[in-house]
Amino acid sequence: MEREQLFLARMTQQGLINPSEDLEQVFQTTIGMQAQQQRQTEVGIALRTRKVTYADLLARYQSGRVVRTWAQRWTYQLLQRDDWELIIAARRGESLPQTYFRGERARIMSLADKLAADLHPGQVMTQEDAMSLLAHHADTNGDHHLWYVVMQILAARGLVTFNPALTGLQTEIRVMPAPTVDTDVAMRQLMDRFVRGFGPVRLADFCKWAGIGASRARANWQQCAAQWQPVGEPGDGLYVAASIAALPDDTLTGRALLVGGFDGTLTAYADKGWLAVPPAKLWTANGILKPFVIIDGVIGGTWSTRWRGDKVDFAFETWRSVPRRLRTQIEAQCERVARFFNVAVGSISY
């Protein structure tokens, strides 16, 4: 499959070319959005939607329909509660990297077991509460990293999620009943969702995105593949869930599209060659995945936001020229982001 066709197909499947008026559809498509920098993720949601506001998203936070927790690749994700259950079940057996334990794996696993015994489904507590509970079992001496690793272990067991509306020491931790769905059943359901939302994809892409080893995933992938449609050249190993309606090659010609930071298009694929841009332009040395702008069907720059009370400023760094007609499109998308958060656009600089 030619790179240009792959780029167009994936951007279409991800809903980036035609934003949705349905917030739930966005989460159905992405199956979670990486949320180390939650505001970046929320900006990405604004760009994937129309006629949706931050108030709509906040209502889902408060009701527990959307949660924040460590999921795919041991990274923070915003995802629907049902998808959280699916991902936690599918990832059973995956272990935190040894470096997280700093040589104290046995001690930290024991502390996680003790804290888990203190928790009960339906319980709600703050980060400060959880750190106090942990201090009952060990002299933590204010070690935030210890709390962080213990909570990741509990999250991987499906025992805790976080309310995305609250942060810092007042972060609301919700104790959950652990998912009971079978691991292989969950993995196959997750694979099918991934192919539908991110295709065309390979097994290596699923493993990269989900953080599940290929040796654990291969048999389930092969079982699911019989239901999917191969695309590209024989041997490519690329699949889609169903036939993708062919779009004209010039679909993105004369268009500018903004894509948020930490977007799934940057995290879901093992081979980054389809992006046709040197990774260093989009990934910083410390792992920040920059927002980017598509210009005439090609990634042509990055951008950032600065929040000032009731205003948001946008700054663009482009390596492709942006004619006036495309700047008009960019500015309309900046306005859409501002409306989502009920603020005004402050400045837009190129």
mmCIF file of all heavy atoms in Angstrom, residues 12-62:
data_model
loop_
_atom_site.group_PDB
_atom_site.id
_atom_site.type_symbol
_atom_site.label_atom_id
_atom_site.label_comp_id
_atom_site.label_asym_id
_atom_site.label_seq_id
_atom_site.Cartn_x
_atom_site.Cartn_y
_atom_site.Cartn_z
ATOM 1 N N THR A 12 -8.587 8.997 7.954
ATOM 2 C CA THR A 12 -10.039 8.871 7.792
ATOM 3 C C THR A 12 -10.620 7.991 8.890
ATOM 4 O O THR A 12 -11.611 8.355 9.544
ATOM 5 C CB THR A 12 -10.374 8.276 6.415
ATOM 6 O OG1 THR A 12 -9.848 9.125 5.395
ATOM 7 C CG2 THR A 12 -11.877 8.146 6.238
ATOM 8 N N GLN A 13 -10.023 6.801 9.110
ATOM 9 C CA GLN A 13 -10.517 5.877 10.121
ATOM 10 C C GLN A 13 -10.509 6.512 11.508
ATOM 11 O O GLN A 13 -11.391 6.250 12.327
ATOM 12 C CB GLN A 13 -9.665 4.608 10.140
ATOM 13 C CG GLN A 13 -9.820 3.709 8.918
ATOM 14 C CD GLN A 13 -11.224 3.150 8.797
ATOM 15 O OE1 GLN A 13 -12.070 3.690 8.068
ATOM 16 N NE2 GLN A 13 -11.500 2.075 9.501
ATOM 17 N N GLN A 14 -9.520 7.348 11.773
ATOM 18 C CA GLN A 14 -9.401 7.975 13.084
ATOM 19 C C GLN A 14 -10.369 9.150 13.275
ATOM 20 O O GLN A 14 -10.450 9.722 14.355
ATOM 21 C CB GLN A 14 -7.968 8.448 13.304
ATOM 22 C CG GLN A 14 -7.051 7.379 13.861
ATOM 23 C CD GLN A 14 -7.364 7.108 15.325
ATOM 24 O OE1 GLN A 14 -7.083 7.916 16.196
ATOM 25 N NE2 GLN A 14 -7.970 5.969 15.600
ATOM 26 N N GLY A 15 -11.102 9.508 12.230
ATOM 27 C CA GLY A 15 -12.069 10.580 12.357
ATOM 28 C C GLY A 15 -11.454 11.959 12.367
ATOM 29 O O GLY A 15 -12.084 12.930 12.806
ATOM 30 N N LEU A 16 -10.224 12.071 11.866
ATOM 31 C CA LEU A 16 -9.553 13.365 11.878
ATOM 32 C C LEU A 16 -9.941 14.230 10.680
ATOM 33 O O LEU A 16 -9.852 15.457 10.737
ATOM 34 C CB LEU A 16 -8.033 13.164 11.904
ATOM 35 C CG LEU A 16 -7.499 12.629 13.242
ATOM 36 C CD1 LEU A 16 -6.073 12.140 13.096
ATOM 37 C CD2 LEU A 16 -7.581 13.709 14.315
ATOM 38 N N ILE A 17 -10.359 13.600 9.603
ATOM 39 C CA ILE A 17 -10.740 14.374 8.420
ATOM 40 C C ILE A 17 -12.160 14.913 8.552
ATOM 41 O O ILE A 17 -12.447 16.046 8.156
ATOM 42 C CB ILE A 17 -10.594 13.507 7.146
ATOM 43 C CG1 ILE A 17 -9.108 13.158 6.942
ATOM 44 C CG2 ILE A 17 -11.151 14.229 5.920
ATOM 45 C CD1 ILE A 17 -8.840 12.254 5.755
ATOM 46 N N ASN A 18 -13.037 14.106 9.145
ATOM 47 C CA ASN A 18 -14.429 14.532 9.341
ATOM 48 C C ASN A 18 -14.788 14.415 10.817
ATOM 49 O O ASN A 18 -15.198 13.340 11.273
ATOM 50 C CB ASN A 18 -15.374 13.672 8.492
ATOM 51 C CG ASN A 18 -15.137 13.839 7.011
ATOM 52 O OD1 ASN A 18 -15.204 14.952 6.499
ATOM 53 N ND2 ASN A 18 -14.840 12.748 6.320
ATOM 54 N N PRO A 19 -14.629 15.475 11.610
ATOM 55 C CA PRO A 19 -14.930 15.429 13.043
ATOM 56 C C PRO A 19 -16.367 14.986 13.317
ATOM 57 O O PRO A 19 -17.268 15.191 12.495
ATOM 58 C CB PRO A 19 -14.696 16.874 13.503
ATOM 59 C CG PRO A 19 -13.724 17.421 12.507
ATOM 60 C CD PRO A 19 -14.093 16.790 11.199
ATOM 61 N N SER A 20 -16.567 14.397 14.490
ATOM 62 C CA SER A 20 -17.865 13.842 14.863
ATOM 63 C C SER A 20 -18.628 14.793 15.775
ATOM 64 O O SER A 20 -18.037 15.569 16.525
ATOM 65 C CB SER A 20 -17.653 12.505 15.584
ATOM 66 O OG SER A 20 -18.878 11.998 16.084
ATOM 67 N N GLU A 21 -19.948 14.708 15.725
ATOM 68 C CA GLU A 21 -20.785 15.455 16.660
ATOM 69 C C GLU A 21 -21.097 14.614 17.890
ATOM 70 O O GLU A 21 -21.823 15.055 18.780
ATOM 71 C CB GLU A 21 -22.078 15.900 15.980
ATOM 72 C CG GLU A 21 -21.856 16.911 14.854
ATOM 73 C CD GLU A 21 -23.156 17.407 14.255
ATOM 74 O OE1 GLU A 21 -24.234 17.066 14.804
ATOM 75 O OE2 GLU A 21 -23.110 18.141 13.251
ATOM 76 N N ASP A 22 -20.555 13.416 17.942
ATOM 77 C CA ASP A 22 -20.844 12.460 19.011
ATOM 78 C C ASP A 22 -19.568 12.210 19.818
ATOM 79 O O ASP A 22 -18.630 11.580 19.342
ATOM 80 C CB ASP A 22 -21.361 11.164 18.398
ATOM 81 C CG ASP A 22 -21.782 10.134 19.445
ATOM 82 O OD1 ASP A 22 -21.544 10.365 20.645
ATOM 83 O OD2 ASP A 22 -22.316 9.083 19.060
ATOM 84 N N LEU A 23 -19.529 12.710 21.047
ATOM 85 C CA LEU A 23 -18.350 12.546 21.893
ATOM 86 C C LEU A 23 -18.062 11.074 22.163
ATOM 87 O O LEU A 23 -16.901 10.648 22.181
ATOM 88 C CB LEU A 23 -18.566 13.294 23.211
ATOM 89 C CG LEU A 23 -17.408 13.328 24.206
ATOM 90 C CD1 LEU A 23 -16.133 13.857 23.574
ATOM 91 C CD2 LEU A 23 -17.795 14.164 25.425
ATOM 92 N N GLU A 24 -19.106 10.288 22.345
ATOM 93 C CA GLU A 24 -18.899 8.867 22.600
ATOM 94 C C GLU A 24 -18.225 8.190 21.412
ATOM 95 O O GLU A 24 -17.383 7.303 21.573
ATOM 96 C CB GLU A 24 -20.233 8.173 22.901
ATOM 97 C CG GLU A 24 -20.073 6.698 23.251
ATOM 98 C CD GLU A 24 -21.349 6.068 23.774
ATOM 99 O OE1 GLU A 24 -22.298 6.814 24.092
ATOM 100 O OE2 GLU A 24 -21.384 4.839 23.873
ATOM 101 N N GLN A 25 -18.560 8.626 20.191
ATOM 102 C CA GLN A 25 -17.952 8.043 19.006
ATOM 103 C C GLN A 25 -16.444 8.277 18.987
ATOM 104 O O GLN A 25 -15.669 7.424 18.551
ATOM 105 C CB GLN A 25 -18.587 8.613 17.736
ATOM 106 C CG GLN A 25 -18.044 8.021 16.437
ATOM 107 C CD GLN A 25 -18.239 6.513 16.364
ATOM 108 O OE1 GLN A 25 -19.341 6.017 16.586
ATOM 109 N NE2 GLN A 25 -17.169 5.782 16.083
ATOM 110 N N VAL A 26 -16.014 9.439 19.466
ATOM 111 C CA VAL A 26 -14.580 9.733 19.520
ATOM 112 C C VAL A 26 -13.869 8.717 20.412
ATOM 113 O O VAL A 26 -12.829 8.165 20.055
ATOM 114 C CB VAL A 26 -14.340 11.168 20.025
ATOM 115 C CG1 VAL A 26 -12.854 11.416 20.300
ATOM 116 C CG2 VAL A 26 -14.858 12.171 19.002
ATOM 117 N N PHE A 27 -14.442 8.444 21.577
ATOM 118 C CA PHE A 27 -13.827 7.474 22.485
ATOM 119 C C PHE A 27 -13.936 6.050 21.935
ATOM 120 O O PHE A 27 -13.036 5.234 22.138
ATOM 121 C CB PHE A 27 -14.454 7.563 23.870
ATOM 122 C CG PHE A 27 -13.955 8.723 24.690
ATOM 123 C CD1 PHE A 27 -14.699 9.883 24.803
ATOM 124 C CD2 PHE A 27 -12.731 8.652 25.324
ATOM 125 C CE1 PHE A 27 -14.227 10.958 25.541
ATOM 126 C CE2 PHE A 27 -12.246 9.722 26.068
ATOM 127 C CZ PHE A 27 -13.001 10.882 26.179
ATOM 128 N N GLN A 28 -15.027 5.756 21.236
ATOM 129 C CA GLN A 28 -15.155 4.440 20.609
ATOM 130 C C GLN A 28 -14.055 4.224 19.580
ATOM 131 O O GLN A 28 -13.488 3.139 19.467
ATOM 132 C CB GLN A 28 -16.526 4.326 19.929
ATOM 133 C CG GLN A 28 -17.676 4.055 20.872
ATOM 134 C CD GLN A 28 -17.672 2.632 21.394
ATOM 135 O OE1 GLN A 28 -17.430 2.385 22.574
ATOM 136 N NE2 GLN A 28 -17.916 1.682 20.529
ATOM 137 N N THR A 29 -13.746 5.274 18.816
ATOM 138 C CA THR A 29 -12.739 5.163 17.768
ATOM 139 C C THR A 29 -11.333 5.063 18.337
ATOM 140 O O THR A 29 -10.536 4.230 17.909
ATOM 141 C CB THR A 29 -12.817 6.379 16.828
ATOM 142 O OG1 THR A 29 -14.107 6.399 16.200
ATOM 143 C CG2 THR A 29 -11.742 6.331 15.752
ATOM 144 N N THR A 30 -11.028 5.901 19.316
ATOM 145 C CA THR A 30 -9.655 5.966 19.834
ATOM 146 C C THR A 30 -9.360 4.917 20.893
ATOM 147 O O THR A 30 -8.197 4.593 21.152
ATOM 148 C CB THR A 30 -9.384 7.348 20.449
ATOM 149 O OG1 THR A 30 -10.326 7.591 21.499
ATOM 150 C CG2 THR A 30 -9.508 8.444 19.398
ATOM 151 N N ILE A 31 -10.393 4.389 21.534
ATOM 152 C CA ILE A 31 -10.254 3.404 22.622
ATOM 153 C C ILE A 31 -9.271 3.920 23.670
ATOM 154 O O ILE A 31 -8.395 3.197 24.149
ATOM 155 C CB ILE A 31 -9.794 2.021 22.117
ATOM 156 C CG1 ILE A 31 -10.246 1.769 20.684
ATOM 157 C CG2 ILE A 31 -10.320 0.921 23.050
ATOM 158 C CD1 ILE A 31 -9.655 0.534 20.058
ATOM 159 N N GLY A 32 -9.413 5.163 24.033
ATOM 160 C CA GLY A 32 -8.496 5.769 24.992
ATOM 161 C C GLY A 32 -7.568 6.741 24.295
ATOM 162 O O GLY A 32 -7.146 6.511 23.165
ATOM 163 N N MET A 33 -7.264 7.827 24.985
ATOM 164 C CA MET A 33 -6.373 8.844 24.429
ATOM 165 C C MET A 33 -5.293 9.139 25.466
ATOM 166 O O MET A 33 -5.599 9.409 26.630
ATOM 167 C CB MET A 33 -7.162 10.108 24.092
ATOM 168 C CG MET A 33 -8.300 9.846 23.116
ATOM 169 S SD MET A 33 -9.264 11.336 22.721
ATOM 170 C CE MET A 33 -8.129 12.175 21.617
ATOM 171 N N GLN A 34 -4.026 9.061 25.036
ATOM 172 C CA GLN A 34 -2.920 9.235 25.965
ATOM 173 C C GLN A 34 -3.026 10.592 26.647
ATOM 174 O O GLN A 34 -3.222 11.617 25.999
ATOM 175 C CB GLN A 34 -1.588 9.106 25.244
ATOM 176 C CG GLN A 34 -0.395 9.050 26.182
ATOM 177 C CD GLN A 34 0.867 8.576 25.497
ATOM 178 O OE1 GLN A 34 0.820 7.781 24.556
ATOM 179 N NE2 GLN A 34 2.009 9.046 25.964
ATOM 180 N N ALA A 35 -2.864 10.591 27.985
ATOM 181 C CA ALA A 35 -3.204 11.801 28.753
ATOM 182 C C ALA A 35 -2.168 12.157 29.806
ATOM 183 O O ALA A 35 -2.516 12.536 30.924
ATOM 184 C CB ALA A 35 -4.579 11.614 29.402
ATOM 185 N N GLN A 36 -0.883 12.030 29.468
ATOM 186 C CA GLN A 36 0.135 12.554 30.376
ATOM 187 C C GLN A 36 -0.075 14.039 30.605
ATOM 188 O O GLN A 36 0.029 14.530 31.711
ATOM 189 C CB GLN A 36 1.542 12.331 29.797
ATOM 190 C CG GLN A 36 2.293 11.169 30.416
ATOM 191 C CD GLN A 36 1.967 9.893 29.670
ATOM 192 O OE1 GLN A 36 0.961 9.814 28.980
ATOM 193 N NE2 GLN A 36 2.804 8.895 29.779
ATOM 194 N N GLN A 37 -0.346 14.752 29.529
ATOM 195 C CA GLN A 37 -0.688 16.175 29.603
ATOM 196 C C GLN A 37 -2.161 16.277 29.221
ATOM 197 O O GLN A 37 -2.526 16.382 28.051
ATOM 198 C CB GLN A 37 0.201 16.987 28.665
ATOM 199 C CG GLN A 37 1.668 16.946 29.055
ATOM 200 C CD GLN A 37 2.530 17.806 28.151
ATOM 201 O OE1 GLN A 37 2.091 18.344 27.141
ATOM 202 N NE2 GLN A 37 3.796 17.932 28.519
ATOM 203 N N GLN A 38 -3.015 16.237 30.248
ATOM 204 C CA GLN A 38 -4.447 16.063 30.004
ATOM 205 C C GLN A 38 -5.040 17.186 29.159
ATOM 206 O O GLN A 38 -5.912 16.938 28.315
ATOM 207 C CB GLN A 38 -5.185 15.939 31.331
ATOM 208 C CG GLN A 38 -6.657 15.583 31.164
ATOM 209 C CD GLN A 38 -7.307 15.261 32.481
ATOM 210 O OE1 GLN A 38 -6.775 14.489 33.268
ATOM 211 N NE2 GLN A 38 -8.460 15.850 32.736
ATOM 212 N N ARG A 39 -4.587 18.418 29.361
ATOM 213 C CA ARG A 39 -5.151 19.506 28.565
ATOM 214 C C ARG A 39 -4.858 19.294 27.086
ATOM 215 O O ARG A 39 -5.701 19.586 26.232
ATOM 216 C CB ARG A 39 -4.597 20.846 29.055
ATOM 217 C CG ARG A 39 -5.053 22.087 28.268
ATOM 218 C CD ARG A 39 -6.553 22.164 28.052
ATOM 219 N NE ARG A 39 -7.341 22.211 29.225
ATOM 220 C CZ ARG A 39 -7.748 23.314 29.837
ATOM 221 N NH1 ARG A 39 -7.391 24.500 29.378
ATOM 222 N NH2 ARG A 39 -8.514 23.250 30.899
ATOM 223 N N GLN A 40 -3.664 18.779 26.753
ATOM 224 C CA GLN A 40 -3.340 18.463 25.357
ATOM 225 C C GLN A 40 -4.347 17.461 24.801
ATOM 226 O O GLN A 40 -4.825 17.592 23.669
ATOM 227 C CB GLN A 40 -1.933 17.866 25.258
ATOM 228 C CG GLN A 40 -0.816 18.862 25.404
ATOM 229 C CD GLN A 40 -0.338 19.353 24.043
ATOM 230 O OE1 GLN A 40 -1.090 19.400 23.081
ATOM 231 N NE2 GLN A 40 0.921 19.729 23.975
ATOM 232 N N THR A 41 -4.666 16.465 25.607
ATOM 233 C CA THR A 41 -5.621 15.442 25.171
ATOM 234 C C THR A 41 -6.990 16.050 24.937
ATOM 235 O O THR A 41 -7.678 15.728 23.959
ATOM 236 C CB THR A 41 -5.709 14.328 26.223
ATOM 237 O OG1 THR A 41 -4.390 13.879 26.543
ATOM 238 C CG2 THR A 41 -6.541 13.158 25.723
ATOM 239 N N GLU A 42 -7.400 16.943 25.824
ATOM 240 C CA GLU A 42 -8.708 17.584 25.691
ATOM 241 C C GLU A 42 -8.760 18.490 24.466
ATOM 242 O O GLU A 42 -9.803 18.587 23.806
ATOM 243 C CB GLU A 42 -9.017 18.350 26.975
ATOM 244 C CG GLU A 42 -9.252 17.416 28.151
ATOM 245 C CD GLU A 42 -9.197 18.105 29.510
ATOM 246 O OE1 GLU A 42 -8.702 19.244 29.585
ATOM 247 O OE2 GLU A 42 -9.636 17.486 30.502
ATOM 248 N N VAL A 43 -7.640 19.127 24.139
ATOM 249 C CA VAL A 43 -7.577 19.904 22.901
ATOM 250 C C VAL A 43 -7.768 18.962 21.706
ATOM 251 O O VAL A 43 -8.479 19.279 20.741
ATOM 252 C CB VAL A 43 -6.237 20.665 22.788
ATOM 253 C CG1 VAL A 43 -6.051 21.227 21.383
ATOM 254 C CG2 VAL A 43 -6.181 21.781 23.816
ATOM 255 N N GLY A 44 -7.139 17.779 21.774
ATOM 256 C CA GLY A 44 -7.323 16.797 20.705
ATOM 257 C C GLY A 44 -8.766 16.367 20.558
ATOM 258 O O GLY A 44 -9.269 16.177 19.443
ATOM 259 N N ILE A 45 -9.471 16.234 21.685
ATOM 260 C CA ILE A 45 -10.897 15.888 21.643
ATOM 261 C C ILE A 45 -11.684 17.013 20.982
ATOM 262 O O ILE A 45 -12.590 16.766 20.170
ATOM 263 C CB ILE A 45 -11.419 15.603 23.069
ATOM 264 C CG1 ILE A 45 -10.781 14.306 23.603
ATOM 265 C CG2 ILE A 45 -12.939 15.513 23.089
ATOM 266 C CD1 ILE A 45 -11.062 14.050 25.072
ATOM 267 N N ALA A 46 -11.342 18.255 21.313
ATOM 268 C CA ALA A 46 -12.021 19.397 20.694
ATOM 269 C C ALA A 46 -11.873 19.370 19.180
ATOM 270 O O ALA A 46 -12.819 19.682 18.440
ATOM 271 C CB ALA A 46 -11.455 20.709 21.258
ATOM 272 N N LEU A 47 -10.694 18.974 18.696
ATOM 273 C CA LEU A 47 -10.438 18.964 17.254
ATOM 274 C C LEU A 47 -11.124 17.790 16.559
ATOM 275 O O LEU A 47 -11.366 17.839 15.359
ATOM 276 C CB LEU A 47 -8.931 18.905 16.993
ATOM 277 C CG LEU A 47 -8.179 20.199 17.326
ATOM 278 C CD1 LEU A 47 -6.680 19.944 17.373
ATOM 279 C CD2 LEU A 47 -8.513 21.293 16.308
ATOM 280 N N ARG A 48 -11.431 16.748 17.299
ATOM 281 C CA ARG A 48 -12.095 15.575 16.721
ATOM 282 C C ARG A 48 -13.609 15.701 16.745
ATOM 283 O O ARG A 48 -14.307 14.804 16.290
ATOM 284 C CB ARG A 48 -11.686 14.310 17.480
ATOM 285 C CG ARG A 48 -10.255 13.860 17.232
ATOM 286 C CD ARG A 48 -9.880 12.742 18.193
ATOM 287 N NE ARG A 48 -8.562 12.200 17.897
ATOM 288 C CZ ARG A 48 -8.314 11.183 17.082
ATOM 289 N NH1 ARG A 48 -9.332 10.597 16.472
ATOM 290 N NH2 ARG A 48 -7.091 10.763 16.865
ATOM 291 N N THR A 49 -14.129 16.778 17.321
ATOM 292 C CA THR A 49 -15.573 16.910 17.497
ATOM 293 C C THR A 49 -16.102 18.228 16.947
ATOM 294 O O THR A 49 -15.359 19.184 16.738
ATOM 295 C CB THR A 49 -15.944 16.831 18.992
ATOM 296 O OG1 THR A 49 -15.223 17.842 19.716
ATOM 297 C CG2 THR A 49 -15.646 15.468 19.576
ATOM 298 N N ARG A 50 -17.398 18.255 16.742
ATOM 299 C CA ARG A 50 -18.140 19.470 16.428
ATOM 300 C C ARG A 50 -19.337 19.531 17.370
ATOM 301 O O ARG A 50 -19.914 18.504 17.736
ATOM 302 C CB ARG A 50 -18.649 19.463 14.980
ATOM 303 C CG ARG A 50 -17.557 19.440 13.910
ATOM 304 C CD ARG A 50 -18.195 19.516 12.526
ATOM 305 N NE ARG A 50 -17.223 19.267 11.466
ATOM 306 C CZ ARG A 50 -16.410 20.171 10.963
ATOM 307 N NH1 ARG A 50 -16.456 21.395 11.440
ATOM 308 N NH2 ARG A 50 -15.564 19.864 10.006
ATOM 309 N N LYS A 51 -19.713 20.732 17.748
ATOM 310 C CA LYS A 51 -20.900 20.943 18.585
ATOM 311 C C LYS A 51 -20.800 20.201 19.915
ATOM 312 O O LYS A 51 -21.804 19.785 20.495
ATOM 313 C CB LYS A 51 -22.172 20.515 17.841
ATOM 314 C CG LYS A 51 -22.404 21.291 16.551
ATOM 315 C CD LYS A 51 -23.677 20.844 15.852
ATOM 316 C CE LYS A 51 -23.884 21.591 14.540
ATOM 317 N NZ LYS A 51 -25.107 21.153 13.826
ATOM 318 N N VAL A 52 -19.586 19.991 20.386
ATOM 319 C CA VAL A 52 -19.339 19.383 21.689
ATOM 320 C C VAL A 52 -18.545 20.398 22.498
ATOM 321 O O VAL A 52 -17.733 21.146 21.948
ATOM 322 C CB VAL A 52 -18.551 18.064 21.541
ATOM 323 C CG1 VAL A 52 -18.154 17.508 22.898
ATOM 324 C CG2 VAL A 52 -19.377 17.026 20.765
ATOM 325 N N THR A 53 -18.766 20.439 23.817
ATOM 326 C CA THR A 53 -18.064 21.396 24.665
ATOM 327 C C THR A 53 -17.347 20.682 25.807
ATOM 328 O O THR A 53 -17.615 19.503 26.109
ATOM 329 C CB THR A 53 -19.037 22.422 25.268
ATOM 330 O OG1 THR A 53 -19.895 21.751 26.215
ATOM 331 C CG2 THR A 53 -19.877 23.086 24.186
ATOM 332 N N TYR A 54 -16.471 21.443 26.459
ATOM 333 C CA TYR A 54 -15.774 20.890 27.621
ATOM 334 C C TYR A 54 -16.775 20.509 28.710
ATOM 335 O O TYR A 54 -16.559 19.551 29.450
ATOM 336 C CB TYR A 54 -14.768 21.900 28.168
ATOM 337 C CG TYR A 54 -14.020 21.376 29.371
ATOM 338 C CD1 TYR A 54 -13.043 20.382 29.236
ATOM 339 C CD2 TYR A 54 -14.309 21.849 30.644
ATOM 340 C CE1 TYR A 54 -12.371 19.885 30.336
ATOM 341 C CE2 TYR A 54 -13.641 21.352 31.750
ATOM 342 C CZ TYR A 54 -12.678 20.369 31.591
ATOM 343 O OH TYR A 54 -12.009 19.864 32.686
ATOM 344 N N ALA A 55 -17.883 21.242 28.812
ATOM 345 C CA ALA A 55 -18.908 20.911 29.810
ATOM 346 C C ALA A 55 -19.455 19.503 29.571
ATOM 347 O O ALA A 55 -19.745 18.767 30.532
ATOM 348 C CB ALA A 55 -20.038 21.937 29.769
ATOM 349 N N ASP A 56 -19.608 19.118 28.305
ATOM 350 C CA ASP A 56 -20.059 17.755 27.989
ATOM 351 C C ASP A 56 -19.039 16.727 28.457
ATOM 352 O O ASP A 56 -19.395 15.673 29.005
ATOM 353 C CB ASP A 56 -20.269 17.608 26.475
ATOM 354 C CG ASP A 56 -21.312 18.556 25.920
ATOM 355 O OD1 ASP A 56 -22.320 18.790 26.621
ATOM 356 O OD2 ASP A 56 -21.116 19.070 24.803
ATOM 357 N N LEU A 57 -17.761 17.027 28.246
ATOM 358 C CA LEU A 57 -16.700 16.119 28.669
ATOM 359 C C LEU A 57 -16.622 16.051 30.188
ATOM 360 O O LEU A 57 -16.492 14.966 30.775
ATOM 361 C CB LEU A 57 -15.369 16.591 28.079
ATOM 362 C CG LEU A 57 -14.132 15.737 28.356
ATOM 363 C CD1 LEU A 57 -14.299 14.330 27.811
ATOM 364 C CD2 LEU A 57 -12.891 16.394 27.746
ATOM 365 N N LEU A 58 -16.733 17.207 30.840
ATOM 366 C CA LEU A 58 -16.673 17.259 32.298
ATOM 367 C C LEU A 58 -17.792 16.436 32.929
ATOM 368 O O LEU A 58 -17.584 15.760 33.950
ATOM 369 C CB LEU A 58 -16.757 18.715 32.762
ATOM 370 C CG LEU A 58 -16.612 18.970 34.266
ATOM 371 C CD1 LEU A 58 -15.248 18.514 34.766
ATOM 372 C CD2 LEU A 58 -16.824 20.450 34.573
ATOM 373 N N ALA A 59 -18.976 16.458 32.333
ATOM 374 C CA ALA A 59 -20.092 15.664 32.852
ATOM 375 C C ALA A 59 -19.752 14.178 32.835
ATOM 376 O O ALA A 59 -20.129 13.431 33.750
ATOM 377 C CB ALA A 59 -21.353 15.943 32.041
ATOM 378 N N ARG A 60 -19.034 13.754 31.810
ATOM 379 C CA ARG A 60 -18.630 12.344 31.736
ATOM 380 C C ARG A 60 -17.549 12.033 32.777
ATOM 381 O O ARG A 60 -17.502 10.927 33.308
ATOM 382 C CB ARG A 60 -18.145 12.001 30.331
ATOM 383 C CG ARG A 60 -19.286 11.962 29.318
ATOM 384 C CD ARG A 60 -18.812 11.839 27.881
ATOM 385 N NE ARG A 60 -19.952 11.906 26.989
ATOM 386 C CZ ARG A 60 -20.524 10.845 26.406
ATOM 387 N NH1 ARG A 60 -20.046 9.641 26.631
ATOM 388 N NH2 ARG A 60 -21.556 10.995 25.620
ATOM 389 N N TYR A 61 -16.681 12.988 33.040
ATOM 390 C CA TYR A 61 -15.693 12.800 34.104
ATOM 391 C C TYR A 61 -16.394 12.579 35.447
ATOM 392 O O TYR A 61 -16.091 11.654 36.197
ATOM 393 C CB TYR A 61 -14.812 14.043 34.237
ATOM 394 C CG TYR A 61 -13.828 14.326 33.124
ATOM 395 C CD1 TYR A 61 -13.188 15.566 33.059
ATOM 396 C CD2 TYR A 61 -13.526 13.381 32.143
ATOM 397 C CE1 TYR A 61 -12.278 15.856 32.067
ATOM 398 C CE2 TYR A 61 -12.621 13.663 31.133
ATOM 399 C CZ TYR A 61 -11.991 14.908 31.100
ATOM 400 O OH TYR A 61 -11.082 15.196 30.111
ATOM 401 N N GLN A 62 -17.316 13.481 35.741
ATOM 402 C CA GLN A 62 -17.958 13.470 37.057
ATOM 403 C C GLN A 62 -18.833 12.239 37.263
ATOM 404 O O GLN A 62 -18.954 11.739 38.387
ATOM 405 C CB GLN A 62 -18.793 14.752 37.251
ATOM 406 C CG GLN A 62 -17.994 16.042 37.173
ATOM 407 C CD GLN A 62 -17.113 16.278 38.389
ATOM 408 O OE1 GLN A 62 -16.673 15.344 39.048
ATOM 409 N NE2 GLN A 62 -16.842 17.545 38.686
#
